[in-house]
Amino acid sequence: MSLPPTTAPQLGAAIRTFRTSRKLTIEDLAGEADVHYTHVSSIERGKSNPGWEIVSKLAAALEVSVGDLERVGAEQAEAES
């Protein structure tokens, strides 16, 4: 099951926020999560609609919960509007 398309950009922004705050490259995060780096890049840019398995792997690699990703993504979207 994939995320609703409207939340994909929010999720991508949250992943990028957590990744950069931890000073990880896309390649570092991809390796930790066992996800191809081009997929991580596409997710961060809101161009890919990942399934829950991928989201869970990325959250675990970032040492945050899926809920944290959702919360930060929603907060960032609200701040931009």
Side-chain angles (χ1 to χ4, degrees), residues 1-67:
M1 184 162 111
S2 295
L3 297 171
T6 56
T7 62
Q10 293 174 6
L11 175 69
I15 289 169
R16 178 176 286 145
T17 296
F18 282 112
R19 177 182 61 77
T20 58
S21 73
R22 286 161 175 73
K23 298 183 178 17
L24 295 173
T25 65
I26 289 175
E27 291 84 0
D28 293 336
L29 176 58
E32 289 290 323
D34 194 29
V35 176
H36 199 274
Y37 75 93
T38 58
H39 195 188
V40 175
S41 175
S42 182
I43 292 167
E44 284 192 0
R45 291 180 287 120
K47 302 296 183 189
S48 178
N49 192 12
W52 289 110
E53 180 181 357
I54 299 296
V55 173
S56 295
K57 285 180 171 186
L58 292 169
L62 292 167
E63 299 178 346
V64 299
S65 69
V66 172

